[in-house]
């Protein structure tokens, strides 16, 4: 990097840093001679540039393929042996669980799934090593409440009841003290109502069963127990993990938690959350055969960019535990749909996770240095002891502490600032202006790249049958977004190149040197090329400074993209040669400078793009509540950002070559072909295997909001995927009307755009199914207190929203058990509402007492009765769900196009929902 400074100093002298009067004719003649001997023409081979371009594309894809798509060979039971992991055996469990069909909480099918896991656990106990003690506990939870306020849980209280879990503890038979320190491995048996759950999370359960079988043959030498928790209730809000941590006697012995999850079907199971204590990730990196994990995913997940939650949040926030969180993310578009099925699993997926986990449990189980959790709070507050981690090609994992990262970052930042500052001071005013103009080229590159790619995203809803036409064919993204982003980046940087070249031309023209116009033009182009290359370094320096300031773990990406190209430039370009004029940048400089950054980061960039593409199918939390183009714009901005960040060095090489037109033509052709594929319908946005997410809900509305009727019934069809439903409604028939005229408030979300029909909605339900909100008492003591009796009838899954502008606090009691489910205390709110989400088993209670404590300003004495529309102002909103298929919903579901699939999540209703409310002025 000192050599780089030398080069900058010499160029600044040659292009005008010295006053014109100080340069005599002899010096000028000498300079001309040196120029003739030492400078090269400002022309680079088109074929070299195109070869580099192809190498970058193919190399990036090769890195992604090797890192995430090359999986280990599936092993049979005989090949794995008693102590090994067999994917073939694990797949038997996946098959058995998925054949049961969807098994949500409260269903008979879930009881069968739990019984299957219990039987498998008992079998493991019977075949364990004679020196290993395997304890099986069938754990039943009566009730509980999850009051976490982080992430998706803000403004909510999740109440659960009548849940059953299978808990398996493995430890040496003759070392009772071992049971005081345990490693928890956890996943969930239950699924959403719409999916059989091959990926989420029968695959995880199967891996755990096979791991437990293997560990039962090893544990006689362990110094720590291993607890396998097969919980239920995760899909309803992490209730299974919460009930275990707060109620099971073994939970107090847990020192570290490992959560297995899936947001897709198969592939390489990667770590996307680790810590806060780095012990687990450091030891995993030492022993894992196929390590996979990126702190970039952790940064995005913890920032809230990815709207999801896992049991690991409970273990970290409620229990204060450290550990690891794994997830499958291949084919994430099928998450929670009918296509989460076994046939889409890639061979080797379970083997990949199983072998990694078995090696880790063997090490952690035998370790006498298992973290006791003392450093968790300190790590969370300071971030000093957290770990930075990433894998290289899925074969090696790099892990180092935040303290070391800060030292490295600070050192590189200080050295870079010193070199840049010294160079500008020595170069004087011309160098400062040249630096500013080169930064302008970077800014123009970003503006043009994002603008053009976002423009395409805006236009897509008008030219395509779907605003997200790339869901079933992710390769379309290359033509639709990568090509426009690349064109914009090239055009923007070239515009900056022209502006910079004009300034450098004026500087060199001021000198009393007899240079020919051709030679002068060549010198200016070569110097501008170098400034553009160095502007790329400055871009990554700024990102490193920001990441270092906020202690962002993925700042290592900026470090790699800064140091490697800078080292290459300093080694090969900034030499001590006596030449006073620049030469073309060497091709080897680019190859050497970019090889390490692309090796480390290109795979994760492509992986993240694939995840964004898949999640677009469920991007609308309130269907119709956002613009149709939003998901495509987010993807377009991400792609443009990656193009600008990773190709800034390469593009600096393009401007003095003849490859500009070839790249322009090739990208335009690919863009046009992609648009043609969308317009022609040759590439449909959704297919039978990668379907559009929809919900079909028979709604019985007792709020009087539908055409003024006191009780109305209709079927609501809506989708969390962007776009209209007119084509789907036409395929179904049944008199569906689509639009924004009818907003349906489902308490946990609202449908702003959807389709609805009243045809045939009178059957399939009865008056006795309608829940009751009855005001038992309303009295004034120290303040106004109202008691409301809630009878959910047959429903064991319901949501209740409480108006916190009117209600200061509340408590909820179970009438039958006379037990308090939600206690008084501070509660978070969102948009003036606090939501209770209740989910329980078949035998859960259905009658509750809700005591409301009104805000002082709304007491009977102080309350103003002359507010207009007070009788329409709601105090409570309620939705109760029944997993029942009415005749009309059965017909509608049977007529759904093959490219559609029902979609389930914790906030979405089942196929039959009842809406009730209680006004403020009751």
């Amino acid at each position: 990097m000192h050599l780089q400074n030398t080069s900058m100093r010499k160029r600044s002298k040659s292009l005008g840093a010295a006053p014109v009067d100080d340069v005599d004719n002899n010096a000028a003649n000498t300079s001309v001679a040196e120029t003739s001997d030492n400078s090269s023409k400002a022309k680079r081979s088109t074929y070299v540039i195109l070869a580099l371009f192809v190498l970058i594309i193919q190399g990036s894809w090769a890195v992604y393929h090797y890192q995430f798509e090359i999986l280990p060979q599936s092993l049979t039971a005989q090949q794995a042996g008693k102590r090994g992991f067999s994917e073939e055996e694990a797949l038997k469990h996946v098959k058995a669980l998925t054949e049961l069909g969807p098994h949500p909480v409260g269903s008979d099918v879930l009881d069968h799934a739990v019984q299957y896991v219990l039987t498998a656990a008992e079998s493991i106990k019977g075949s364990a090593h004679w020196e290993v003690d395997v304890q099986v506990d069938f754990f039943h939870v009566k009730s509980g409440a999850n009051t976490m306020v982080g992430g998706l849980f803000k403004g909510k209280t999740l109440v659960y009841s009548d849940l059953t879990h299978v808990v398996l503890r493995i430890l040496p038979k003759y070392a009772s003290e071992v049971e005081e320190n345990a490693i928890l491995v956890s996943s969930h048996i239950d699924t959403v109502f719409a999916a059989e759950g091959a990926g989420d999370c029968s695959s995880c359960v199967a891996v755990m069963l096979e791991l437990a079988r293997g560990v039962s043959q090893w544990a006689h030498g362990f110094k720590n127990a291993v607890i396998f928790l097969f919980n239920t209730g995760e899909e309803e809000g992490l209730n299974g993990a919460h009930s275990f941590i707060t109620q099971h006697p073994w939970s107090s012995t847990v020192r570290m938690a490992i959560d297995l999850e899936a947001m897709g079907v198969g592939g390489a199971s990667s770590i996307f959350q680790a810590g806060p204590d780095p012990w687990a990730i450091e030891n995993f990196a030492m022993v894992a055969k196929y390590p996979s994990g990126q702190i970039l995913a952790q940064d995005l997940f913890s920032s809230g960019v990815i709207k999801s939650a896992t049991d690991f949040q409970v273990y970290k926030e409620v229990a204060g535990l450290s550990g690891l969180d794994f997830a499958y993310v291949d084919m994430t578009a099928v998450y929670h749909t009918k296509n989460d099925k076994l046939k889409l699993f890639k061979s080797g997926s379970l083997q990949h996770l199983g072998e990694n986990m078995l090696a880790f449990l063997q090490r952690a189980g035998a370790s006498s240095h298992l973290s006791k959790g003392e450093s968790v709070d300190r790590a969370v507050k300071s971030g000093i002891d957290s770990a930075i981690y990433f894998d290289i090609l899925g074969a090696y994992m790099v892990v180092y502490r935040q303290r070391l990262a800060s030292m490295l970052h600070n050192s590189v930042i200080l050295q870079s600032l010193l070199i840049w500052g010294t160079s500008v001071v020595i170069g004087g005013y011309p160098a400062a202006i040249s630096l500013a103009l080169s930064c302008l080229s970077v800014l123009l590159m970003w503006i043009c790249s994002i603008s053009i790619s976002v423009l395409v995203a805006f236009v897509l809803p008008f030219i395509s049958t779907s605003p997200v036409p790339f869901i079933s064919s992710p390769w379309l993204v290359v033509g639709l977004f990568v090509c426009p982003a690349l064109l914009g980046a090239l055009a923007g940087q070239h515009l900056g190149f022209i502006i910079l070249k004009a300034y450098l031309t004026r500087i060199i023209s001021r000198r009393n040197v007899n240079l020919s116009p051709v030679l002068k033009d060549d010198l200016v182009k070569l110097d501008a090329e170098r400034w553009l290359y160095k502007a790329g370094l400055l871009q990554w320096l700024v990102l490193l400074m920001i990441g270092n300031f906020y202690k962002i773990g993925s700042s290592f990406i900026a470090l790699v993209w800064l140091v490697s190209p800078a080292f290459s430039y300093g080694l090969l370009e900034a030499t001590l040669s006596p030449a006073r004029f620049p030469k073309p940048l060497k091709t080897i400089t680019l190859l050497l400078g970019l090889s390490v950054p692309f090796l480390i980061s290109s795979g994760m960039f492509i992986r993240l793009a694939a995840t964004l593409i898949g999640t677009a199918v469920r991007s609308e939390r309130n269907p119709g509540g956002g613009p149709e183009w939003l998901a495509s714009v987010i993807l377009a901005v991400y792609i443009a950002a990656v193009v600008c960040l990773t190709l800034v060095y390469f593009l600096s090489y393009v401007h003095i070559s003849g490859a500009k037109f070839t790249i322009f033509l090739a990208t335009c052709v690919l863009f046009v072909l992609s648009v043609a594929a969308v317009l022609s319908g040759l590439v449909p946005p959704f297919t039978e295997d990668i379907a559009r997410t929809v919900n079909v809900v028979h709604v019985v509305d007792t709020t009087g909001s539908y055409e003024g009727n006191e009780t109305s019934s209709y079927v609501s069809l809506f989708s969390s995927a962007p776009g209209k439903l007119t084509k789907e409604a036409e395929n179904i028939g049944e008199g569906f009307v689509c639009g924004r005229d009818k907003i349906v408030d489902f308490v946990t979300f609202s449908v702003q755009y959807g389709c609805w029909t009243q045809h045939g909605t009178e059957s399939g339900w009865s008056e006795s199914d309608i829940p009751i909100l009855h005001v038992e008492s309303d009295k004034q003591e120290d303040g106004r207190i109202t008691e409301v009796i809630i009878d959910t009838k047959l429903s064991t899954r319901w949501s209740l929203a409480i108006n916190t502008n009117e209600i200061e606090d509340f408590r909820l009691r179970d009438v039958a058990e006379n037990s308090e489910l939600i206690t008084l205390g501070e509660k978070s709110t969102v948009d003036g509402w606090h939501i209770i989400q209740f989910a329980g088993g078949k035998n859960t209670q259905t009658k509750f007492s809700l005591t409301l404590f009104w805000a002082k300003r709304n007491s009977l004495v102080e309350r103003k009765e002359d507010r207009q529309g007070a009788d329409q102002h709601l105090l409570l909103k309620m939705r109760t769900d029944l997993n029942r298929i009415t005749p009309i919903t059965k017909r509608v579901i049977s007529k759904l196009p093959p490219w559609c699939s029902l979609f389930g999540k914790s906030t979405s209703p089942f196929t039959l929902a009842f809406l009730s409310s209680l006004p403020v002025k009751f």
Side-chain angles (χ1 to χ4, degrees), residues 286-524:
M286 292 179 186
V287 298
K289 295 182 67 174
Y290 318 103
S292 181
Q294 301 289 344
I295 197 171
L296 175 62
Q298 177 173 312
D299 288 341
L300 292 173
F301 199 85
S302 59
S303 69
V305 172
I306 299 176
K307 302 293 184 181
S308 187
T310 71
D311 285 341
F312 191 70
Q313 183 176 347
V314 174
Y315 302 136
K316 188 166 66 171
E317 294 183 12
V318 178
L321 297 169
S322 289
L324 304 173
D325 202 0
F326 292 82
Y328 290 114
V329 295
D330 272 20
M331 298 189 69
T332 188
V334 308
Y335 176 68
H336 282 189
T337 69
K338 65 179 183 181
N339 292 316
D340 184 2
K341 49 193 176 185
L342 184 58
K343 78 170 190 176
L344 297 181
F345 251 94
K346 292 180 181 177
S347 177
S349 300
L350 303 186
Q351 196 71 41
H352 179 273
L353 175 59
E355 290 197 41
N356 282 342
M357 277 297 301
L358 185 58
F360 175 69
L361 290 178
Q362 289 170 357
R363 181 179 181 86
S367 174
S368 57
H369 304 289
L370 187 65
S371 170
K372 301 298 190 296
E374 296 91 346
S375 64
V376 170
D377 291 338
R378 180 167 58 89
V380 171
K381 292 177 182 178
S382 66
I384 293 176
D385 292 319
S386 59
I388 312 299
Y389 60 93
F390 58 91
D391 72 273
I392 301 175
L393 299 179
Y396 309 96
M397 178 166 278
V398 178
V399 182
Y400 55 97
R401 301 284 182 102
Q402 180 64 54
R403 188 191 301 273
L404 176 59
S406 297
M407 292 172 59
L408 286 173
H409 297 172
N410 289 330
S411 175
V412 170
I413 290 170
L414 290 175
Q415 289 185 61
S416 300
L417 291 175
L418 178 63
I419 291 173
W420 277 104
T422 304
S423 300
V424 171
V425 170
I426 293 175
Y429 181 77
I433 298 300
S434 298
L435 176 61
L437 292 178
S438 64
C439 292
L440 176 63
S441 73
V442 172
L443 182 61
L444 290 172
M445 175 182 67
W446 277 84
I447 291 174
C448 293
S449 182
I450 291 177
S451 298
I452 296 177
S453 56
V454 165
L455 178 62
V456 174
F458 275 125
V459 173
L460 275 180
F462 300 99
I463 66 173
S464 171
T465 56
S466 171
V468 285
F470 43 79
I471 296 295
S472 67
S473 305
W475 56 266
L476 272 177
V477 168
V478 176
L480 293 176
F481 297 131
V482 176
C483 287
L486 178 59
L487 285 174
L490 180 58
Q493 196 186 67
H494 191 67
L495 178 59
F497 176 78
I498 293 172
I499 296 171
L500 177 59
K501 192 173 69 168
Y503 173 75
L504 293 176
T505 299
R506 290 199 302 271
I507 293 298
I508 199 170
S509 297
R510 293 172 52 194
R511 301 202 49 194
N512 188 18
V513 179
N514 298 323
L515 297 177
S516 68
V518 174
L519 185 57
K520 185 189 302 182
D521 186 58
D522 284 348
L523 293 175
V524 168

Side-chain angles (χ1 to χ4, degrees), residues 200-221:
D200 185 23
C201 212
S202 295
S203 61
C204 310
V205 171
V207 167
M208 286 172 55
L209 287 172
E210 181 63 7
L211 280 174
R213 184 202 59 76
V215 169
S216 70
Q217 306 300 320
W218 283 92
H220 53 280

Side-chain angles (χ1 to χ4, degrees), residues 659-830:
K660 294 188 293 294
F661 177 74
T662 305
I663 293 175
F664 172 81
L665 181 62
T667 51
C668 284
V669 169
L670 185 54
F671 172 71
V672 170
L673 290 176
S674 300
V675 172
V678 172
L679 288 173
S680 65
L682 291 176
V683 182
F686 306 103
T687 64
E688 188 170 356
D689 283 338
I690 302 180
R692 179 176 189 176
T693 55
V694 298
N695 286 86
V696 178
V697 185
H698 188 160
V699 180
V700 179
D701 192 344
T702 63
T703 62
S705 61
Y706 188 76
E707 296 185 354
N709 297 323
E710 188 173 315
T711 299
S712 62
S713 178
Y714 55 92
V715 173
S716 177
L717 171 68
F718 56 90
S719 174
S720 55
K724 301 292 190 295
L725 285 164
T726 50
K727 186 177 180 181
E728 288 80 0
E730 289 173 0
N731 275 265
I732 296 170
E734 299 293 342
F736 273 102
V737 177
C738 300
R740 297 181 177 273
D741 299 332
K742 180 175 179 55
I743 297 176
V744 184
D745 186 349
F746 281 107
V747 181
T748 53
F749 69 97
S750 62
V751 176
Q752 307 291 324
Y753 168 85
C755 306
W756 62 93
T757 182
Q758 284 186 290
H759 289 193
T761 58
E762 298 81 9
S763 61
W765 61 278
S766 65
E767 295 288 338
S768 61
D769 295 330
I770 299 175
I772 296 175
L773 293 174
H774 173 68
V775 178
E776 184 75 7
S777 65
D778 183 30
K779 54 188 177 181
Q780 177 80 29
E781 294 178 352
D782 294 335
R784 186 181 179 187
I785 303 174
T786 301
E787 184 178 0
V788 179
I789 299 298
I790 301 171
D791 187 351
T792 64
K793 298 300 179 69
L794 298 178
S795 176
T796 60
R797 184 182 191 263
W798 50 268
S799 300
L800 178 72
I802 300 172
N803 187 339
T804 53
N805 292 323
E806 305 288 344
I807 302 301
E808 188 175 78
D809 203 353
F810 64 88
R811 65 169 171 246
L812 182 71
R813 289 189 305 107
D814 167 22
V815 173
E817 298 288 338
N818 196 27
S819 59
E820 199 166 74
L821 300 175
I822 302 177
T823 60
L824 295 176
E826 185 178 353
K827 299 174 178 69
S828 59
T829 66
V830 174

Side-chain angles (χ1 to χ4, degrees), residues 44-97:
R44 183 172 282 109
S45 169
T46 299
Y47 299 108
V48 171
I49 292 299
L50 294 179
L52 287 172
F53 187 47
V54 172
L55 179 62
I56 288 173
I57 295 173
Q58 293 295 329
S60 298
W61 186 256
V63 168
Y64 169 76
H65 177 73
Y66 195 90
Q67 187 170 7
F68 295 109
E69 295 190 333
I70 300 296
L71 298 172
Q73 181 182 357
S74 176
L75 299 182
T76 65
Q78 185 176 2
Q79 291 171 324
K82 268 191 169 185
R83 297 184 172 189
F85 184 94
S86 167
E87 179 176 282
E88 186 178 278
E89 293 300 306
L91 282 173
K92 293 178 181 178
H93 298 306
V94 179
K95 184 180 179 183
L97 291 170

